[in-house]
Amino acid sequence: MVSGKKVDRTLMHQNNTRLVLSAIRQAGEMSRAQAAEATGMSIVTVGRIADELMARGILREQEKEGGVQVGRPPRVLSLEHTRLLCVSAYLGRGELYLGLVDPRGSLLDQEHHTFPETEEFLSQPVLQWMAQHLEGFLARHEKEGIRSTVGVVVPGIVDIQEGVLQFSANLRWRDVPVVRYLEERMPQYTFLLENDTKALALAEQNFGACAGCRNMVALSVGDGIGAAMILNGEIYRGVNNMAGEIGHIILNPAGKICECGKVGCLQTHLSQRTILAEARSVYPDITLAGLFDYFQQGDPFAVALIGQVVEYTSIAINLLANTYAPEAVLLCGSMLRQHPIFSTLVERNYRSKINEYMQNTFRLCFERFGVSGHLLGGGALALRQVLEQLCS
């Protein structure tokens, strides 16, 4: 019984530590009294936990700067950001981004590499190329006290437990053991694999356009179509982490064949590759930038095609809004980054597909970080695991 009570006290202390760290991380900074109020603990309990975490170099306490006040400035707790730096990697088709992320959502360093166009984008040579650049980036930042957990972000369906990329239409890969390969090359590090849209949603919810939203949905429109849900402050993953594969919802059974093998998926109407293929049936050498130029010039075919893309995007927003009733729907992805007019068109038109009872229940937001959001999300994911381990 005594042993059982000791275990209970240990678990309670770990849970309390977790709650205090979570509250401070979400707020950015707060006083001990504010942390006590946010967690429902006594100020004495919060004080003991804060003192312990400061002694371990996880938290710091300092006078709050700025503001109009009388008397001595209040003291606030915050994460010791210089001791909690995490590296993240984002692999897209043909390119690799590497970043050093701090707990405040700052990208302190970044690298971009492109895979040789002369080589086929197969998993084995790409992983070797990725690992080589990642090893160099990690070695360069080792003296800065980086943590040994690295976030790795990829497009597609990810088994986060096994670290396997199960299927990626963008990369054209199936069942690739990404984490096993990286950990065999770099056994001193732990790697966490994450879907690109989920990572971006995490970045925007923590630091960006949807900061503070407890319930939000991200819709990514680019080479592929994906969604990610954050419910009650946590990523909703569903069975086998497959929640959010909205690109493979069948909207038109008489439509085109999708890369996944089904017919009429949303992705066959919205992905950049399928849009470009449709455009080239009329203008053989056109680019997407050229298509948008034709649209702005009033070309009938371009106006019709872009109009259809905007309509299907609005339908997707309606599907997500009705399914999850979020505070915000975040629109993101390479389509927005490369063609800014697309955001304007969607903003003007999406309400035409929204049910009347849903019209004013959520706000439409647009990504703030662009491709860097994948790195920030990967870093945030790595930091979460680091803090979880520090609480154990």
Side-chain angles (χ1 to χ4, degrees):
M1 182 63 69
V2 173
S3 177
K5 288 182 178 179
K6 182 177 180 180
V7 171
D8 288 344
R9 284 196 297 271
T10 300
L11 291 175
M12 182 178 294
H13 180 70
Q14 291 174 353
N15 187 56
N16 287 344
T17 302
R18 195 173 290 114
L19 289 172
V20 170
L21 269 177
S22 177
I24 294 171
R25 182 169 180 261
Q26 289 180 21
E29 62 179 25
M30 57 173 44
S31 67
R32 297 185 183 215
Q34 289 170 328
E37 183 178 358
T39 60
M41 300 178 206
S42 71
I43 194 167
V44 173
T45 300
V46 168
R48 288 172 180 165
I49 292 172
D51 290 341
E52 177 186 323
L53 293 175
M54 285 191 291
R56 295 168 63 188
I58 302 168
L59 289 183
R60 64 177 175 176
E61 189 171 31
Q62 59 187 2
E63 291 184 349
K64 184 176 178 62
E65 297 178 358
V68 178
Q69 57 207 5
V70 177
R72 184 176 179 179
R75 296 182 65 79
V76 291
L77 297 163
S78 61
L79 294 181
E80 183 57 81
H81 59 271
T82 60
R83 303 277 298 271
L84 294 168
L85 304 179
C86 292
V87 167
S88 65
Y90 167 53
L91 178 68
R93 184 163 184 85
E95 57 187 353
L96 171 69
Y97 292 85
L98 302 172
L100 180 66
V101 182
D102 80 0
R104 302 168 298 183
S106 297
L107 195 56
L108 304 180
D109 189 22
Q110 182 177 349
E111 287 184 2
H112 176 230
H113 304 278
T114 55
F115 192 72
E117 293 183 2
T118 55
E119 297 184 31
E120 198 171 355
F121 202 75
L122 300 176
S123 60
Q124 192 65 20
V126 170
L127 286 180
Q128 291 175 350
W129 167 77
M130 177 183 179
Q132 180 181 357
H133 287 296
L134 187 51
E135 283 174 330
F137 191 81
L138 289 166
R140 186 153 61 85
H141 290 289
E142 274 182 343
K143 292 183 179 179
E144 298 173 46
I146 57 173
R147 292 290 169 167
S148 61
T149 301
V150 178
V152 179
V153 177
V154 292
I157 300 173
V158 170
D159 182 336
I160 59 172
Q161 301 299 325
E162 298 297 325
V164 174
L165 177 56
Q166 296 177 314
F167 171 72
S168 175
N170 294 356
L171 303 183
R172 299 178 179 85
W173 291 1
R174 287 183 181 271
D175 299 321
V176 179
V178 177
V179 166
R180 186 178 71 191
Y181 179 86
L182 293 175
E183 290 187 345
E184 286 176 354
R185 283 280 299 256
M186 293 165 273
Q188 69 273 40
Y189 291 97
T190 298
F191 296 88
L192 303 177
L193 196 63
E194 183 59 279
N195 164 268
D196 58 346
T197 307
K198 288 183 173 68
L200 195 147
L202 192 62
E204 296 287 351
Q205 190 258 352
N206 274 272
F207 316 114
C210 297
C213 284
R214 297 283 295 168
N215 298 282
M216 61 162 284
V217 182
L219 172 64
S220 178
V221 181
D223 288 336
I225 308 302
M229 289 68 66
I230 293 181
L231 306 178
N232 296 320
E234 298 293 335
I235 294 176
Y236 175 71
R237 299 189 178 278
V239 176
N240 296 329
N241 197 37
M242 292 179 64
E245 290 300 319
I246 190 175
H248 299 291
I249 290 177
I250 296 173
L251 290 185
N252 181 9
K256 300 173 185 177
I257 297 176
C258 181
E259 291 170 317
C260 73
K262 302 300 181 183
V263 177
C265 293
L266 177 62
Q267 187 155 307
T268 64
H269 296 281
L270 282 185
S271 77
Q272 288 177 307
R273 287 196 302 277
T274 58
I275 296 167
L276 193 56
E278 182 78 13
R280 286 177 175 171
S281 68
V282 175
Y283 299 111
D285 298 320
I286 201 168
T287 62
L288 275 179
L291 180 65
F292 276 96
D293 286 341
Y294 278 20
F295 169 84
Q296 291 182 289
Q297 294 167 20
D299 177 85
F301 173 78
V303 169
L305 181 54
I306 296 300
Q308 184 182 65
V309 173
V310 171
E311 182 163 322
Y312 273 103
T313 302
S314 300
I315 290 171
I317 292 171
N318 184 38
L319 282 170
L320 293 168
N322 274 278
T323 302
Y324 296 100
E327 301 166 54
V329 174
L330 175 81
L331 198 59
C332 56
S334 56
M335 180 74 88
L336 283 76
R337 298 165 201 158
Q338 297 168 13
H339 313 288
I341 191 176
F342 180 66
S343 301
T344 302
L345 295 172
V346 173
E347 191 168 24
R348 288 175 182 170
N349 291 279
Y350 80 98
R351 287 184 178 274
S352 66
K353 298 298 179 184
I354 302 295
N355 304 81
E356 183 177 351
Y357 57 84
M358 293 294 297
Q359 287 281 336
N360 299 309
T361 61
F362 69 94
R363 57 191 173 95
L364 182 65
C365 304
F366 298 92
E367 64 175 17
R368 181 175 299 174
F369 299 121
V371 70
S372 296
H374 300 299
L375 292 176
L376 294 175
L381 183 76
L383 178 61
R384 283 190 177 191
Q385 175 149 317
V386 167
L387 295 178
E388 182 67 26
Q389 291 170 342
L390 291 171
C391 293
S392 302

